């Protein structure tokens, strides 16, 4: 719990000032889905397109954060919840600078994603949840990191899709059928969503 002695300090420069400087609105695009669904690959493609169009964005990958900020966390439900919370806080701070944040992490529990949505709503930061939807069999057949194989062999535990459930979004901003559409087609849909919502 936050101490009552902690006070928020506002500066003289607002998010709107920073957004005018950049010619875009700060926002968070939160890619969620099973391991192997294509979240990171699509986020990389979106980042490339946005940077190519002169838009400032930053990609946050769940695995990358576990090398530093979240390296003390495991994969139990409690640790996963904290992983999502910390990532959400980082995304919110970056979006407040006027940057478009592309966050990709499994974030398997619906309630934790809704908490992240709420923390962004509190600061009026656009939060766009993108469900990278592939059947579990497809994700497992891809298995780019060999995680499903290790989970099936008992080498790792608490793995989403094998030991723990994945709770798909019920009201996300965009669903990408990544098992039937190309990475490029999926990336184009994300960029179009940002245009439609006047983020860029």
């Amino acid at each position: 719990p936050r101490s009552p002695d902690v006070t928020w300090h506002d500066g003289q420069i607002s998010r709107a000032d920073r957004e005018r400087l950049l010619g875009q609105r700060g926002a968070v695009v939160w890619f969620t889905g099973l391991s192997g669904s294509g979240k990171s690959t699509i986020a990389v493609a979106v980042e490339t397109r946005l940077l190519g169009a002169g838009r400032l964005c930053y990609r946050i990958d769940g695995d990358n954060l576990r090398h530093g900020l979240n390296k003390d966390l495991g994969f139990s439900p409690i640790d996963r919840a904290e992983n999502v919370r910390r990532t959400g806080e980082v995304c919110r701070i970056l979006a407040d600078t006027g940057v478009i944040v592309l966050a990709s992490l499994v974030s398997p529990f619906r309630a934790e994603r809704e908490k992240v949505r709420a923390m962004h709503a509190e600061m009026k930061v656009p939060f766009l949840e993108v469900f990278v939807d592939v059947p579990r069999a497809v994700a497992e057949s891809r298995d780019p990191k060999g995680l499903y194989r290790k989970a099936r062999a008992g080498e790792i535990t608490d793995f989403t899709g094998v030991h723990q459930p994945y709770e798909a979004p019920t009201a996300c901003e965009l669903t990408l059928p990544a098992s039937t559409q190309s990475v490029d087609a999926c990336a184009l849909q994300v960029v179009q969503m940002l245009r439609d919502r006047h983020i860029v």
Side-chain angles (χ1 to χ4, degrees), residues 40 44 47 58-71 83 87 102 104-105 145:
S40 296
V44 167
E47 180 184 38
Y58 191 82
R59 187 175 52 83
I60 291 182
D61 188 89
D63 279 358
N64 292 354
L65 284 186
R66 285 182 177 275
H67 283 272
L69 179 67
N70 295 341
K71 68 180 179 180
N83 183 56
T87 304
L102 309 171
S104 53
L105 62 164
K145 303 170 191 173

Side-chain angles (χ1 to χ4, degrees), residues 122-184:
E122 183 181 0
M123 286 185 65
K124 298 181 174 59
V125 172
F127 178 83
L128 308 171
E129 187 178 18
V130 175
F131 175 34
V132 183
D133 184 16
V134 301
R136 186 177 64 181
V138 171
E140 188 164 353
S141 70
R142 294 174 176 174
D143 203 14
K145 303 170 191 173
L147 298 178
Y148 286 96
R149 178 186 54 75
K150 289 180 180 179
R152 297 289 184 195
E155 296 174 30
I156 59 175
T157 59
D158 295 328
F159 187 72
T160 301
V162 177
H163 309 109
Q164 292 180 2
Y166 175 80
E167 298 172 355
T170 56
C172 59
E173 280 69 25
L174 180 64
T175 297
L176 299 174
S179 61
T180 58
Q181 292 186 357
S182 69
V183 170
D184 198 46

Side-chain angles (χ1 to χ4, degrees), residues 1-189:
R2 185 172 58 212
S3 167
D5 299 321
V6 176
T7 304
W8 184 272
H9 291 274
D10 285 312
Q12 293 183 335
I13 305 300
S14 69
R15 183 189 315 142
D17 294 325
R18 293 185 287 268
E19 290 175 336
R20 277 193 295 273
L21 180 67
L22 295 171
Q24 63 186 44
R25 291 173 62 206
V28 174
V29 181
W30 187 278
F31 296 90
T32 179
L34 289 167
S35 178
S37 61
K39 301 178 298 299
S40 296
T41 303
I42 294 168
V44 167
V46 173
E47 180 184 38
T48 301
R49 286 187 169 277
L50 289 176
L51 265 293
R55 302 301 181 179
L56 183 59
C57 61
Y58 191 82
R59 187 175 52 83
I60 291 182
D61 188 89
D63 279 358
N64 292 354
L65 284 186
R66 285 182 177 275
H67 283 272
L69 179 67
N70 295 341
K71 68 180 179 180
D72 59 320
L73 300 175
F75 293 90
S76 69
I78 291 174
D79 279 2
R80 283 185 179 276
E82 177 61 9
N83 183 56
V84 169
R85 186 195 71 79
R86 289 184 196 177
T87 304
E89 292 285 1
V90 171
C91 290
R92 183 170 70 163
I93 291 168
L94 281 172
D96 191 48
T97 71
V99 170
I100 299 165
V101 184
L102 309 171
S104 53
L105 62 164
V106 174
S107 47
F109 303 123
R110 196 176 297 122
E112 304 310 324
R113 296 194 304 268
E114 287 306 310
K115 288 177 184 176
V116 174
R117 180 185 291 276
M119 77 168 63
H120 285 76
E122 183 181 0
M123 286 185 65
K124 298 181 174 59
V125 172
F127 178 83
L128 308 171
E129 187 178 18
V130 175
F131 175 34
V132 183
D133 184 16
V134 301
R136 186 177 64 181
V138 171
E140 188 164 353
S141 70
R142 294 174 176 174
D143 203 14
K145 303 170 191 173
L147 298 178
Y148 286 96
R149 178 186 54 75
K150 289 180 180 179
R152 297 289 184 195
E155 296 174 30
I156 59 175
T157 59
D158 295 328
F159 187 72
T160 301
V162 177
H163 309 109
Q164 292 180 2
Y166 175 80
E167 298 172 355
T170 56
C172 59
E173 280 69 25
L174 180 64
T175 297
L176 299 174
S179 61
T180 58
Q181 292 186 357
S182 69
V183 170
D184 198 46
C186 290
L188 283 171
Q189 290 180 66

